[in-house]
Amino acid sequence: MSTATTTASTTTTGATVEFRGLRRAFGPTTALDGLDLTINPGELLALLGPSGCGKTTALRILAGFETHDSGQVLVDGQDITQVPAHRRDAGMVFQSYSLFPHLTAADNVAFGLRMRGTGKAERRNRAQELLELVGLPQHAGRYPHQLSGGQQQRIALARALALQPRVLLLDEPLSALDAKVRLNLRDEIRRLQQELGITTLFVTHDQEEALSMADRVAVLRAGRLEQCAAPAELYSRPATAFVAEFVGTMSRIPCTRAGSSVELLGRTFPVDGELPADGELDVLVRPENVGLVSNDAGAAVVVGASFLGSATRITVRLSDGTEIKADLPTEAAAGLPVGGNADVTLPDRPVLVDRRTA
């Protein structure tokens, strides 16, 4: 995609979006259970979570495609509950592209302008500007079936931007694309979003997409907000065990209580956050924080190795059957063959503790 210079007519100003106590149920199923969330002007916020967590429902309510049972949706302080979808000043990009097959790329981009009664010459100029912005000016006369999936999604993005919306809504727009195209397009979407300064809500179930693209990531679970934070904070300081295990990889290691601390692997560790009041406990550890030292008398047995390039993920098993993953430099991992023994080490810092799962 080209890095075409954005003209003044393409630049937009982002709005503040607020969900206040948002609730929505579909029969006995609660999709949103009191969602409170603010998206700052010009921010790209990703809604992340498993299927059924309520992320798409929240986006569709903001777009005006769904109604909420209670609560408020505000854009720049105005409650838009009674504002119809076509007047909400929001552009939307769907997973399935949703281009009109009988219209050229340029006519697809200009469709919303035509519906607004914009003159033909202005529509043509605006469409050309946006096609240049998304790197496809030479495809103006092509029809959707003559475009690749990535090109179709760029056209869909240009169409969503044509009306200069204050809010851009992205509903898993990359999930139908192959891995290489998805990687390139997510970088370009992020570049455009920052260039335009448009407030963007991005729904995805792909944690890598969320962490690489968003200013902040809001993790939902069963209609409730678990945590909303910058990607680095979300990954390194998860507020709950659910966030810790949903975002990135975690190993669970059984531990025992030692007053306000816990004991595991022959050592005592302080606890990060609250220690559950009862029940058996696990410590949650990311693979990059696990050290392995080859030792013929070590308590852990190497049971697997996955080459990841500069790093190799080693899986070891303790005598109680617990499996722990460790990411080591590939050169160091070569000294830990499958079947060999090792000692497991953890850094000297507080650990995240959760009740043991069944």
Side-chain angles (χ1 to χ4, degrees):
M1 188 182 295
S2 71
T3 55
T5 301
T6 308
T7 65
S9 63
T10 305
T11 304
T12 187
T13 302
T16 300
V17 175
E18 298 174 82
F19 297 124
R20 294 184 181 176
L22 208 60
R23 297 182 184 275
R24 180 66 167 115
F26 298 94
T29 303
T30 299
L32 292 173
D33 191 8
L35 177 63
D36 289 305
L37 185 63
T38 298
I39 312 171
N40 299 315
E43 179 179 44
L44 193 157
L45 186 139
L47 286 182
L48 179 67
S51 297
C53 70
K55 56 187 185 293
T56 297
T57 300
L59 180 140
R60 288 179 61 82
I61 288 173
L62 177 56
F65 300 152
E66 293 278 356
T67 58
H68 47 286
D69 300 325
S70 61
Q72 290 181 300
V73 180
L74 294 92
V75 176
D76 283 340
Q78 176 189 1
D79 189 338
I80 61 171
T81 300
Q82 302 302 321
V83 178
H86 68 278
R87 294 184 58 196
R88 291 198 176 189
D89 205 6
M92 188 157 181
V93 180
F94 300 90
Q95 175 183 344
S96 58
Y97 320 142
S98 299
L99 299 180
F100 298 109
H102 62 290
L103 298 181
T104 64
D107 288 339
N108 263 287
V109 172
F111 181 79
L113 296 170
R114 192 177 78 182
M115 293 298 98
R116 279 193 178 178
T118 303
K120 185 175 181 180
E122 185 178 345
R123 294 202 309 267
R124 183 174 59 249
N125 291 338
R126 178 72 175 150
Q128 188 62 30
E129 283 181 6
L130 287 159
L131 287 170
E132 289 176 2
L133 187 69
V134 300
L136 296 174
Q138 71 278 23
H139 294 72
R142 295 189 183 182
Y143 291 88
H145 73 273
Q146 297 173 310
L147 303 171
S148 68
Q151 290 168 342
Q152 289 185 56
Q153 197 59 295
R154 291 180 187 184
I155 297 300
L157 178 61
R159 182 179 62 186
L161 295 172
L163 297 177
Q164 298 178 265
R166 290 184 298 159
V167 180
L168 179 63
L169 307 177
L170 305 175
D171 187 12
E172 302 203 40
L174 308 179
S175 59
L177 304 172
D178 65 50
K180 186 174 181 180
V181 174
R182 186 164 62 243
L183 182 63
N184 290 335
L185 192 51
R186 79 185 187 194
D187 291 341
E188 294 300 336
I189 288 175
R190 179 55 166 155
R191 179 187 65 81
L192 283 174
Q193 185 271 333
Q194 291 178 314
E195 190 173 312
L196 298 174
I198 187 170
T199 303
T200 302
L201 182 62
F202 177 51
V203 165
T204 181
H205 64 274
D206 187 318
Q207 57 178 275
E208 184 178 336
E209 282 182 3
L211 296 177
S212 66
M213 293 178 66
D215 294 300
R216 288 188 300 150
V217 179
V219 180
L220 300 187
R221 181 189 187 191
R224 295 188 178 186
L225 181 65
E226 289 275 313
Q227 185 177 3
C228 183
E233 180 182 351
L234 197 76
Y235 185 85
S236 62
R237 297 278 298 175
T240 66
F242 175 81
V243 173
E245 294 188 287
F246 191 80
V247 178
T249 300
M250 280 285 188
S251 295
R252 282 181 171 264
I253 308 174
C255 63
T256 57
R257 298 173 190 273
S260 59
S261 302
V262 294
E263 290 183 355
L264 72 156
L265 303 174
R267 295 173 55 199
T268 301
F269 293 86
V271 174
D272 182 5
E274 294 185 5
L275 187 66
D278 52 29
E280 296 183 310
L281 304 176
D282 288 333
V283 163
L284 280 66
V285 184
R286 296 214 182 274
E288 63 268 26
N289 294 329
V290 176
L292 296 177
V293 179
S294 180
N295 182 355
D296 291 341
V301 178
V302 178
V303 295
S306 299
F307 177 71
L308 304 175
S310 60
T312 294
R313 179 161 293 172
I314 301 290
T315 303
V316 298
R317 183 179 294 141
L318 303 180
S319 59
D320 63 0
T322 299
E323 292 194 351
I324 304 171
K325 298 185 188 313
D327 287 351
L328 304 179
T330 292
E331 186 175 325
L336 292 160
V338 173
N341 289 69
D343 290 323
V344 180
T345 64
L346 298 179
D348 292 319
R349 62 189 189 202
V351 293
L352 182 65
V353 177
D354 186 34
R355 287 187 178 85
R356 187 167 305 164
T357 57

